[in-house]
Amino acid sequence: MRKRLAQLANHRLATAALVSGGGAGALLLLRLVDPNQPGSLLPACPFFSITGLFCPGCGATRCLHALAHFDLSAALAMNPLLVVSLPALAILTAHGAGLLPAALLPLARQLCRPVAWGVLLASYGIARNLPWQPFSWLAPG
């Protein structure tokens, strides 16, 4: 039993290290490559390219690029839901890696509701395609 718990702890730490390393690599890429430039190494949204509609993730790369350059207003202009969701995503990542402080466990349990995330993302995807204000402010731009 003790051996299994040690393996689980090692697995969680390895997962946290991989996520951290991937995040650091993505941050470096976003610092060096500008997705706003024509012919950028970073691809455009395939959903938008096919449908002409904004998906919930449209503008996420440009949002993260702006955050990597400490430009909060540009990040909010590209994908406000992503900006306000980043703390929740960090809590969920820490929870999944087993590194979340016990005081935040009730919050993590509330954030682990997939139906709520699905409703939020679907509603956001619809709202950001509505052509009148204040919904038009949700479109990347």
Side-chain angles (χ1 to χ4, degrees):
M1 179 70 159
R2 221 179 266 191
K3 184 177 179 181
R4 177 71 180 134
L5 288 175
Q7 287 175 335
L8 183 60
N10 287 339
H11 177 72
R12 286 186 171 188
L13 288 175
T15 301
L18 278 172
V19 168
S20 298
L27 179 64
L28 178 63
L29 179 67
L30 289 167
R31 290 281 301 165
L32 299 175
V33 178
D34 187 354
N36 299 302
Q37 298 299 318
S40 171
L41 170 71
L42 301 170
C45 176
F47 184 81
F48 181 78
S49 298
I50 294 169
T51 66
L53 298 171
F54 300 119
C55 73
C58 275
T61 304
R62 291 176 288 158
C63 171
L64 293 171
H65 171 76
L67 287 175
H69 290 274
F70 306 105
D71 189 351
L72 183 59
S73 62
L76 285 167
M78 291 300 149
N79 195 320
L81 181 62
L82 178 59
V83 174
V84 299
S85 297
L86 284 175
L89 295 173
I91 289 170
L92 289 172
T93 302
H95 178 59
L99 301 173
L100 191 67
L104 293 177
L105 283 176
L107 176 59
R109 285 190 193 102
Q110 293 300 316
L111 292 173
C112 285
R113 296 175 181 233
V115 172
W117 282 101
V119 169
L120 175 66
L121 290 173
S123 301
Y124 180 66
I126 292 167
R128 71 189 321 210
N129 285 288
L130 297 175
W132 56 86
Q133 291 183 357
F135 303 108
S136 61
W137 297 336
L138 298 174

Short mmCIF file of all heavy atoms in Angstrom, two decimals, residues 41-99:
data_model
loop_
_atom_site.label_atom_id
_atom_site.label_comp_id
_atom_site.label_asym_id
_atom_site.label_seq_id
_atom_site.Cartn_x
_atom_site.Cartn_y
_atom_site.Cartn_z
N LEU A 41 3.83 31.70 -37.23
CA LEU A 41 4.04 30.28 -36.96
C LEU A 41 2.83 29.68 -36.25
O LEU A 41 2.52 28.50 -36.41
CB LEU A 41 5.31 30.12 -36.10
CG LEU A 41 5.61 28.77 -35.51
CD1 LEU A 41 6.04 27.82 -36.62
CD2 LEU A 41 6.71 28.87 -34.47
N LEU A 42 2.13 30.49 -35.47
CA LEU A 42 0.98 30.02 -34.71
C LEU A 42 -0.28 30.07 -35.58
O LEU A 42 -0.56 31.09 -36.21
CB LEU A 42 0.81 30.87 -33.45
CG LEU A 42 2.03 30.86 -32.53
CD1 LEU A 42 1.89 31.89 -31.44
CD2 LEU A 42 2.22 29.48 -31.94
N PRO A 43 -1.04 28.98 -35.64
CA PRO A 43 -2.18 28.92 -36.58
C PRO A 43 -3.38 29.74 -36.11
O PRO A 43 -3.55 30.02 -34.93
CB PRO A 43 -2.52 27.43 -36.58
CG PRO A 43 -2.10 26.95 -35.24
CD PRO A 43 -0.87 27.75 -34.88
N ALA A 44 -4.21 30.11 -37.07
CA ALA A 44 -5.48 30.77 -36.78
C ALA A 44 -6.48 29.72 -36.31
O ALA A 44 -6.25 28.51 -36.45
CB ALA A 44 -5.99 31.47 -38.03
N CYS A 45 -7.59 30.18 -35.77
CA CYS A 45 -8.64 29.27 -35.28
C CYS A 45 -9.27 28.53 -36.46
O CYS A 45 -9.84 29.16 -37.36
CB CYS A 45 -9.70 30.07 -34.53
SG CYS A 45 -11.10 29.05 -33.97
N PRO A 46 -9.21 27.20 -36.46
CA PRO A 46 -9.82 26.45 -37.57
C PRO A 46 -11.34 26.57 -37.58
O PRO A 46 -11.94 26.60 -38.65
CB PRO A 46 -9.37 25.01 -37.33
CG PRO A 46 -8.88 24.95 -35.94
CD PRO A 46 -8.52 26.34 -35.52
N PHE A 47 -11.97 26.67 -36.42
CA PHE A 47 -13.43 26.81 -36.37
C PHE A 47 -13.85 28.10 -37.05
O PHE A 47 -14.79 28.12 -37.85
CB PHE A 47 -13.93 26.77 -34.92
CG PHE A 47 -15.42 26.82 -34.79
CD1 PHE A 47 -16.17 25.67 -34.95
CD2 PHE A 47 -16.08 28.00 -34.50
CE1 PHE A 47 -17.55 25.69 -34.82
CE2 PHE A 47 -17.46 28.05 -34.38
CZ PHE A 47 -18.20 26.89 -34.55
N PHE A 48 -13.15 29.21 -36.74
CA PHE A 48 -13.47 30.49 -37.37
C PHE A 48 -13.18 30.45 -38.87
O PHE A 48 -13.94 30.99 -39.67
CB PHE A 48 -12.68 31.62 -36.71
CG PHE A 48 -12.97 32.97 -37.29
CD1 PHE A 48 -14.13 33.64 -36.95
CD2 PHE A 48 -12.10 33.55 -38.20
CE1 PHE A 48 -14.42 34.88 -37.51
CE2 PHE A 48 -12.38 34.78 -38.76
CZ PHE A 48 -13.54 35.45 -38.42
N SER A 49 -12.09 29.80 -39.26
CA SER A 49 -11.73 29.71 -40.67
C SER A 49 -12.81 28.98 -41.47
O SER A 49 -13.08 29.34 -42.62
CB SER A 49 -10.40 28.99 -40.84
OG SER A 49 -9.37 29.70 -40.21
N ILE A 50 -13.43 27.97 -40.87
CA ILE A 50 -14.43 27.17 -41.57
C ILE A 50 -15.81 27.83 -41.52
O ILE A 50 -16.52 27.87 -42.53
CB ILE A 50 -14.49 25.75 -40.98
CG1 ILE A 50 -13.19 25.02 -41.27
CG2 ILE A 50 -15.69 24.97 -41.52
CD1 ILE A 50 -13.02 23.71 -40.52
N THR A 51 -16.19 28.34 -40.35
CA THR A 51 -17.57 28.82 -40.16
C THR A 51 -17.73 30.33 -40.20
O THR A 51 -18.83 30.82 -40.42
CB THR A 51 -18.13 28.33 -38.82
OG1 THR A 51 -17.41 28.95 -37.76
CG2 THR A 51 -18.06 26.82 -38.70
N GLY A 52 -16.67 31.07 -39.89
CA GLY A 52 -16.79 32.52 -39.78
C GLY A 52 -17.38 32.94 -38.44
O GLY A 52 -17.66 34.12 -38.22
N LEU A 53 -17.57 31.99 -37.54
CA LEU A 53 -18.10 32.27 -36.20
C LEU A 53 -16.98 32.14 -35.17
O LEU A 53 -16.05 31.36 -35.34
CB LEU A 53 -19.22 31.28 -35.84
CG LEU A 53 -20.45 31.33 -36.73
CD1 LEU A 53 -21.38 30.16 -36.39
CD2 LEU A 53 -21.18 32.65 -36.58
N PHE A 54 -17.11 32.92 -34.09
CA PHE A 54 -16.13 32.85 -33.01
C PHE A 54 -16.47 31.71 -32.06
O PHE A 54 -17.59 31.62 -31.57
CB PHE A 54 -16.10 34.15 -32.21
CG PHE A 54 -15.75 35.35 -33.03
CD1 PHE A 54 -16.65 36.40 -33.17
CD2 PHE A 54 -14.54 35.45 -33.67
CE1 PHE A 54 -16.34 37.52 -33.92
CE2 PHE A 54 -14.21 36.55 -34.43
CZ PHE A 54 -15.12 37.59 -34.55
N CYS A 55 -15.51 30.83 -31.82
CA CYS A 55 -15.70 29.78 -30.83
C CYS A 55 -15.28 30.35 -29.46
O CYS A 55 -14.71 31.44 -29.39
CB CYS A 55 -14.87 28.54 -31.19
SG CYS A 55 -13.09 28.71 -30.95
N PRO A 56 -15.54 29.63 -28.36
CA PRO A 56 -15.13 30.13 -27.05
C PRO A 56 -13.62 30.35 -26.93
O PRO A 56 -13.16 31.16 -26.14
CB PRO A 56 -15.59 29.06 -26.08
CG PRO A 56 -16.71 28.37 -26.78
CD PRO A 56 -16.35 28.42 -28.25
N GLY A 57 -12.84 29.66 -27.75
CA GLY A 57 -11.38 29.79 -27.68
C GLY A 57 -10.79 30.79 -28.66
O GLY A 57 -9.58 31.04 -28.62
N CYS A 58 -11.62 31.35 -29.54
CA CYS A 58 -11.08 32.31 -30.52
C CYS A 58 -10.39 33.47 -29.80
O CYS A 58 -10.94 34.04 -28.85
CB CYS A 58 -12.19 32.86 -31.41
SG CYS A 58 -12.58 31.82 -32.81
N GLY A 59 -9.21 33.78 -30.24
CA GLY A 59 -8.42 34.85 -29.65
C GLY A 59 -7.56 34.40 -28.48
O GLY A 59 -6.84 35.20 -27.90
N ALA A 60 -7.62 33.11 -28.13
CA ALA A 60 -6.87 32.62 -26.96
C ALA A 60 -5.36 32.75 -27.16
O ALA A 60 -4.66 33.16 -26.22
CB ALA A 60 -7.24 31.17 -26.65
N THR A 61 -4.88 32.45 -28.35
CA THR A 61 -3.43 32.56 -28.58
C THR A 61 -2.99 34.01 -28.49
O THR A 61 -1.98 34.33 -27.85
CB THR A 61 -3.07 31.97 -29.96
OG1 THR A 61 -3.52 30.62 -30.01
CG2 THR A 61 -1.57 32.01 -30.18
N ARG A 62 -3.76 34.90 -29.10
CA ARG A 62 -3.42 36.33 -29.03
C ARG A 62 -3.58 36.86 -27.61
O ARG A 62 -2.82 37.71 -27.17
CB ARG A 62 -4.27 37.12 -30.02
CG ARG A 62 -3.88 36.80 -31.47
CD ARG A 62 -4.76 37.49 -32.47
NE ARG A 62 -6.07 36.84 -32.44
CZ ARG A 62 -7.18 37.42 -32.87
NH1 ARG A 62 -7.18 38.64 -33.34
NH2 ARG A 62 -8.32 36.76 -32.83
N CYS A 63 -4.55 36.32 -26.87
CA CYS A 63 -4.74 36.70 -25.47
C CYS A 63 -3.53 36.29 -24.64
O CYS A 63 -2.99 37.09 -23.86
CB CYS A 63 -6.01 36.02 -24.94
SG CYS A 63 -6.27 36.16 -23.17
N LEU A 64 -3.09 35.05 -24.80
CA LEU A 64 -1.94 34.57 -24.04
C LEU A 64 -0.65 35.28 -24.47
O LEU A 64 0.22 35.53 -23.64
CB LEU A 64 -1.81 33.05 -24.19
CG LEU A 64 -2.93 32.25 -23.55
CD1 LEU A 64 -2.83 30.78 -23.93
CD2 LEU A 64 -2.97 32.43 -22.05
N HIS A 65 -0.56 35.64 -25.75
CA HIS A 65 0.59 36.43 -26.22
C HIS A 65 0.61 37.78 -25.51
O HIS A 65 1.66 38.23 -25.03
CB HIS A 65 0.51 36.62 -27.74
CG HIS A 65 1.52 37.58 -28.29
ND1 HIS A 65 2.85 37.25 -28.45
CD2 HIS A 65 1.40 38.86 -28.68
CE1 HIS A 65 3.50 38.29 -28.94
NE2 HIS A 65 2.64 39.28 -29.09
N ALA A 66 -0.56 38.42 -25.42
CA ALA A 66 -0.64 39.71 -24.74
C ALA A 66 -0.29 39.56 -23.25
O ALA A 66 0.43 40.39 -22.69
CB ALA A 66 -2.04 40.31 -24.90
N LEU A 67 -0.77 38.50 -22.61
CA LEU A 67 -0.43 38.29 -21.20
C LEU A 67 1.05 38.02 -21.03
O LEU A 67 1.65 38.45 -20.03
CB LEU A 67 -1.25 37.13 -20.63
CG LEU A 67 -2.72 37.42 -20.37
CD1 LEU A 67 -3.44 36.15 -19.91
CD2 LEU A 67 -2.89 38.53 -19.35
N ALA A 68 1.66 37.31 -21.97
CA ALA A 68 3.11 37.05 -21.90
C ALA A 68 3.91 38.34 -22.00
O ALA A 68 5.04 38.40 -21.54
CB ALA A 68 3.53 36.09 -23.01
N HIS A 69 3.29 39.38 -22.58
CA HIS A 69 3.93 40.69 -22.70
C HIS A 69 3.34 41.68 -21.69
O HIS A 69 3.54 42.89 -21.84
CB HIS A 69 3.80 41.21 -24.13
CG HIS A 69 4.64 40.44 -25.10
ND1 HIS A 69 5.95 40.74 -25.34
CD2 HIS A 69 4.36 39.35 -25.85
CE1 HIS A 69 6.44 39.89 -26.21
NE2 HIS A 69 5.50 39.02 -26.53
N PHE A 70 2.62 41.17 -20.70
CA PHE A 70 2.05 41.96 -19.60
C PHE A 70 1.09 43.05 -20.08
O PHE A 70 1.01 44.12 -19.50
CB PHE A 70 3.16 42.57 -18.73
CG PHE A 70 4.14 41.55 -18.23
CD1 PHE A 70 5.40 41.44 -18.79
CD2 PHE A 70 3.78 40.67 -17.23
CE1 PHE A 70 6.31 40.48 -18.36
CE2 PHE A 70 4.67 39.70 -16.78
CZ PHE A 70 5.94 39.62 -17.35
N ASP A 71 0.34 42.76 -21.14
CA ASP A 71 -0.63 43.70 -21.68
C ASP A 71 -2.04 43.19 -21.38
O ASP A 71 -2.66 42.51 -22.20
CB ASP A 71 -0.41 43.87 -23.18
CG ASP A 71 -1.24 44.98 -23.79
OD1 ASP A 71 -2.12 45.53 -23.09
OD2 ASP A 71 -1.00 45.31 -24.97
N LEU A 72 -2.52 43.51 -20.18
CA LEU A 72 -3.81 42.99 -19.72
C LEU A 72 -4.97 43.50 -20.57
O LEU A 72 -5.89 42.75 -20.87
CB LEU A 72 -4.03 43.34 -18.25
CG LEU A 72 -5.30 42.80 -17.61
CD1 LEU A 72 -5.36 41.28 -17.69
CD2 LEU A 72 -5.41 43.26 -16.17
N SER A 73 -4.95 44.76 -20.98
CA SER A 73 -6.07 45.29 -21.75
C SER A 73 -6.17 44.61 -23.11
O SER A 73 -7.28 44.30 -23.57
CB SER A 73 -5.94 46.82 -21.92
OG SER A 73 -4.77 47.15 -22.63
N ALA A 74 -5.06 44.33 -23.77
CA ALA A 74 -5.10 43.62 -25.05
C ALA A 74 -5.57 42.18 -24.83
O ALA A 74 -6.32 41.64 -25.65
CB ALA A 74 -3.73 43.63 -25.71
N ALA A 75 -5.15 41.56 -23.75
CA ALA A 75 -5.58 40.20 -23.45
C ALA A 75 -7.09 40.15 -23.24
O ALA A 75 -7.77 39.26 -23.77
CB ALA A 75 -4.85 39.67 -22.21
N LEU A 76 -7.62 41.09 -22.49
CA LEU A 76 -9.07 41.15 -22.26
C LEU A 76 -9.83 41.41 -23.56
O LEU A 76 -10.95 40.92 -23.73
CB LEU A 76 -9.40 42.21 -21.22
CG LEU A 76 -9.08 41.84 -19.79
CD1 LEU A 76 -9.16 43.05 -18.87
CD2 LEU A 76 -10.01 40.73 -19.30
N ALA A 77 -9.24 42.16 -24.47
CA ALA A 77 -9.90 42.43 -25.75
C ALA A 77 -9.96 41.18 -26.62
O ALA A 77 -10.87 41.05 -27.44
CB ALA A 77 -9.16 43.55 -26.49
N MET A 78 -9.03 40.27 -26.45
CA MET A 78 -8.98 39.07 -27.29
C MET A 78 -9.86 37.94 -26.76
O MET A 78 -10.57 37.31 -27.52
CB MET A 78 -7.54 38.56 -27.41
CG MET A 78 -6.65 39.44 -28.20
SD MET A 78 -7.30 39.61 -29.86
CE MET A 78 -6.77 41.25 -30.25
N ASN A 79 -9.80 37.66 -25.47
CA ASN A 79 -10.61 36.58 -24.90
C ASN A 79 -10.78 36.83 -23.40
O ASN A 79 -10.02 36.30 -22.58
CB ASN A 79 -9.97 35.21 -25.15
CG ASN A 79 -10.94 34.08 -24.91
OD1 ASN A 79 -11.72 34.11 -23.98
ND2 ASN A 79 -10.89 33.07 -25.77
N PRO A 80 -11.78 37.63 -23.03
CA PRO A 80 -11.96 37.96 -21.61
C PRO A 80 -12.26 36.74 -20.73
O PRO A 80 -11.83 36.69 -19.59
CB PRO A 80 -13.12 38.95 -21.59
CG PRO A 80 -13.78 38.83 -22.92
CD PRO A 80 -12.77 38.29 -23.88
N LEU A 81 -12.96 35.75 -21.26
CA LEU A 81 -13.26 34.57 -20.45
C LEU A 81 -11.98 33.82 -20.07
O LEU A 81 -11.84 33.37 -18.94
CB LEU A 81 -14.22 33.63 -21.17
CG LEU A 81 -14.60 32.38 -20.40
CD1 LEU A 81 -15.34 32.74 -19.10
CD2 LEU A 81 -15.44 31.45 -21.25
N LEU A 82 -11.05 33.72 -20.99
CA LEU A 82 -9.79 33.05 -20.69
C LEU A 82 -9.04 33.78 -19.59
O LEU A 82 -8.52 33.15 -18.66
CB LEU A 82 -8.92 32.93 -21.95
CG LEU A 82 -7.56 32.28 -21.74
CD1 LEU A 82 -7.69 30.87 -21.18
CD2 LEU A 82 -6.78 32.28 -23.04
N VAL A 83 -9.00 35.10 -19.67
CA VAL A 83 -8.27 35.88 -18.67
C VAL A 83 -8.85 35.66 -17.28
O VAL A 83 -8.12 35.39 -16.34
CB VAL A 83 -8.27 37.39 -19.02
CG1 VAL A 83 -7.65 38.21 -17.90
CG2 VAL A 83 -7.53 37.63 -20.33
N VAL A 84 -10.18 35.72 -17.16
CA VAL A 84 -10.78 35.56 -15.83
C VAL A 84 -10.80 34.10 -15.39
O VAL A 84 -10.93 33.83 -14.20
CB VAL A 84 -12.20 36.18 -15.75
CG1 VAL A 84 -12.16 37.66 -16.01
CG2 VAL A 84 -13.17 35.50 -16.68
N SER A 85 -10.64 33.16 -16.33
CA SER A 85 -10.62 31.73 -15.99
C SER A 85 -9.24 31.22 -15.60
O SER A 85 -9.14 30.11 -15.04
CB SER A 85 -11.13 30.90 -17.16
OG SER A 85 -12.47 31.21 -17.44
N LEU A 86 -8.18 31.94 -15.89
CA LEU A 86 -6.84 31.44 -15.61
C LEU A 86 -6.60 31.07 -14.14
O LEU A 86 -6.01 30.03 -13.88
CB LEU A 86 -5.78 32.43 -16.11
CG LEU A 86 -5.58 32.43 -17.62
CD1 LEU A 86 -4.61 33.53 -18.03
CD2 LEU A 86 -5.12 31.09 -18.13
N PRO A 87 -7.07 31.87 -13.17
CA PRO A 87 -6.89 31.43 -11.78
C PRO A 87 -7.61 30.10 -11.49
O PRO A 87 -7.07 29.23 -10.80
CB PRO A 87 -7.49 32.57 -10.95
CG PRO A 87 -7.38 33.76 -11.83
CD PRO A 87 -7.59 33.24 -13.23
N ALA A 88 -8.81 29.93 -12.05
CA ALA A 88 -9.54 28.68 -11.84
C ALA A 88 -8.80 27.52 -12.49
O ALA A 88 -8.70 26.42 -11.92
CB ALA A 88 -10.95 28.78 -12.42
N LEU A 89 -8.24 27.74 -13.67
CA LEU A 89 -7.48 26.68 -14.34
C LEU A 89 -6.21 26.33 -13.56
O LEU A 89 -5.82 25.16 -13.50
CB LEU A 89 -7.15 27.10 -15.77
CG LEU A 89 -8.36 27.27 -16.69
CD1 LEU A 89 -7.94 27.85 -18.03
CD2 LEU A 89 -9.09 25.96 -16.87
N ALA A 90 -5.59 27.32 -12.94
CA ALA A 90 -4.41 27.05 -12.11
C ALA A 90 -4.79 26.22 -10.88
O ALA A 90 -4.08 25.29 -10.51
CB ALA A 90 -3.76 28.36 -11.69
N ILE A 91 -5.93 26.54 -10.29
CA ILE A 91 -6.40 25.77 -9.12
C ILE A 91 -6.70 24.33 -9.54
O ILE A 91 -6.33 23.38 -8.84
CB ILE A 91 -7.63 26.44 -8.49
CG1 ILE A 91 -7.21 27.73 -7.79
CG2 ILE A 91 -8.35 25.51 -7.52
CD1 ILE A 91 -8.35 28.59 -7.33
N LEU A 92 -7.36 24.15 -10.68
CA LEU A 92 -7.68 22.80 -11.15
C LEU A 92 -6.41 22.01 -11.48
O LEU A 92 -6.34 20.81 -11.21
CB LEU A 92 -8.59 22.87 -12.37
CG LEU A 92 -10.02 23.32 -12.08
CD1 LEU A 92 -10.79 23.54 -13.37
CD2 LEU A 92 -10.73 22.33 -11.19
N THR A 93 -5.41 22.67 -12.05
CA THR A 93 -4.15 22.00 -12.36
C THR A 93 -3.44 21.57 -11.08
O THR A 93 -2.97 20.43 -10.97
CB THR A 93 -3.24 22.92 -13.19
OG1 THR A 93 -3.93 23.27 -14.39
CG2 THR A 93 -1.93 22.25 -13.54
N ALA A 94 -3.40 22.46 -10.10
CA ALA A 94 -2.77 22.12 -8.82
C ALA A 94 -3.54 20.99 -8.12
O ALA A 94 -2.93 20.09 -7.53
CB ALA A 94 -2.70 23.35 -7.92
N HIS A 95 -4.85 21.03 -8.22
CA HIS A 95 -5.67 19.96 -7.62
C HIS A 95 -5.39 18.63 -8.30
O HIS A 95 -5.21 17.60 -7.62
CB HIS A 95 -7.15 20.33 -7.74
CG HIS A 95 -8.09 19.29 -7.21
ND1 HIS A 95 -8.06 18.85 -5.91
CD2 HIS A 95 -9.08 18.60 -7.82
CE1 HIS A 95 -8.99 17.94 -5.73
NE2 HIS A 95 -9.63 17.77 -6.88
N GLY A 96 -5.33 18.63 -9.62
CA GLY A 96 -5.05 17.40 -10.36
C GLY A 96 -3.67 16.84 -10.07
O GLY A 96 -3.46 15.63 -10.09
N ALA A 97 -2.72 17.73 -9.77
CA ALA A 97 -1.36 17.29 -9.45
C ALA A 97 -1.21 16.93 -7.98
O ALA A 97 -0.14 16.47 -7.56
CB ALA A 97 -0.36 18.37 -9.82
N GLY A 98 -2.25 17.14 -7.19
CA GLY A 98 -2.18 16.84 -5.76
C GLY A 98 -1.38 17.85 -4.97
O GLY A 98 -0.89 17.56 -3.89
N LEU A 99 -1.26 19.06 -5.51
CA LEU A 99 -0.45 20.09 -4.86
C LEU A 99 -1.28 21.24 -4.30
O LEU A 99 -0.73 22.26 -3.90
CB LEU A 99 0.56 20.67 -5.88
CG LEU A 99 1.52 19.65 -6.49
CD1 LEU A 99 2.33 20.29 -7.60
CD2 LEU A 99 2.42 19.07 -5.42
#
